[in-house]
Amino acid sequence: MFFVRTAGEQDLEKVRALLRETWHATYDHIYGADKVSELHASWHSLASLRARLTKKNAEFLVADDGRAIGGMGYAAMSTEMTKTVMLHMLYVGPRYQRQGVGRDIFAELETCFPDAEIMRLEVDPQNEPAIAFYKAHGFVEVGRTDNNGPGQSGIPTLVFEKPLVNN
């Protein structure tokens, strides 16, 4: 059984390995292994992950069973959009998918931002399992972009939003 908790410095190597495995399993058939390795090295460096740990108005979570990190999530309040939290990362290791790990991480992230009214995310249009997951959790498509991430990546994404119910 996995427990969702705040990530720490000691988790970063395992998180990076989880991201490498998950990205290759998800995106190799779309972009090719070389491009996925390049994106992973850039977007998921230890320095990049470490910066997320200390960012204000953000949450970096892991699903931990005491032996392995089965999933991770990262969200932060938007600096451009009022009362909007951006779900930047939600990944579950391939062998742990469809076991409720992603659902549990997502449920925790939803509660971490009491001032947020909207959760927003971007997802690859070819990542059908992720799109199905987000739709099942109340997200609707509100737009698209042709360049996800920094620079002119050429990586298209769909933009999804979900209203948050604050208690």
Side-chain angles (χ1 to χ4, degrees):
M1 170 180 268
F2 284 93
F3 296 93
V4 177
R5 63 172 175 78
T6 299
E9 178 78 28
Q10 74 280 3
D11 299 313
L12 295 183
E13 288 285 354
K14 287 182 180 179
V15 167
R16 192 162 189 271
L18 171 107
L19 289 168
R20 179 176 34 257
E21 179 185 12
T22 305
W23 267 59
H24 279 291
T26 304
Y27 298 114
D28 278 4
H29 73 281
I30 298 172
Y31 298 111
D34 289 345
K35 181 68 171 178
V36 171
S37 291
E38 175 190 325
L39 290 170
H40 169 70
S42 171
W43 293 359
H44 307 140
S45 68
L46 283 176
S48 173
L49 295 174
R50 192 172 289 115
R52 289 179 172 97
L53 280 179
T54 58
K55 185 169 169 48
K56 290 183 187 264
N57 298 314
E59 289 292 333
F60 191 147
L61 303 176
V62 293
D64 184 352
D65 70 356
R67 295 182 311 274
I69 299 294
M72 62 80 61
Y74 175 76
M77 286 301 291
S78 173
T79 56
E80 291 97 32
M81 293 172 281
T82 308
K83 297 188 182 273
T84 301
V85 63
M86 299 296 299
L87 177 58
H88 292 285
M89 305 170 86
L90 180 59
Y91 294 101
V92 176
R95 67 182 156 277
Y96 305 115
Q97 292 177 2
R98 307 199 65 76
Q99 297 177 31
V101 175
R103 176 200 63 220
D104 291 349
I105 295 169
F106 176 71
E108 184 66 25
L109 284 170
E110 277 188 304
T111 69
C112 291
F113 301 92
D115 294 333
E117 295 177 0
I118 295 170
M119 184 174 277
R120 185 179 177 104
L121 62 89
E122 294 180 354
V123 62
D124 189 293
Q126 296 182 69
N127 189 348
E128 293 174 11
I131 292 169
F133 175 88
Y134 293 127
K135 285 182 176 179
H137 288 84
F139 284 87
V140 295
E141 184 179 340
V142 296
R144 59 180 51 231
T145 180
D146 292 327
N147 292 297
N148 186 24
Q152 296 295 311
S153 68
I155 298 173
T157 58
L158 302 177
V159 180
F160 279 75
E161 286 186 354
K162 173 187 180 169
L164 295 175
V165 179
N166 296 320
N167 298 332

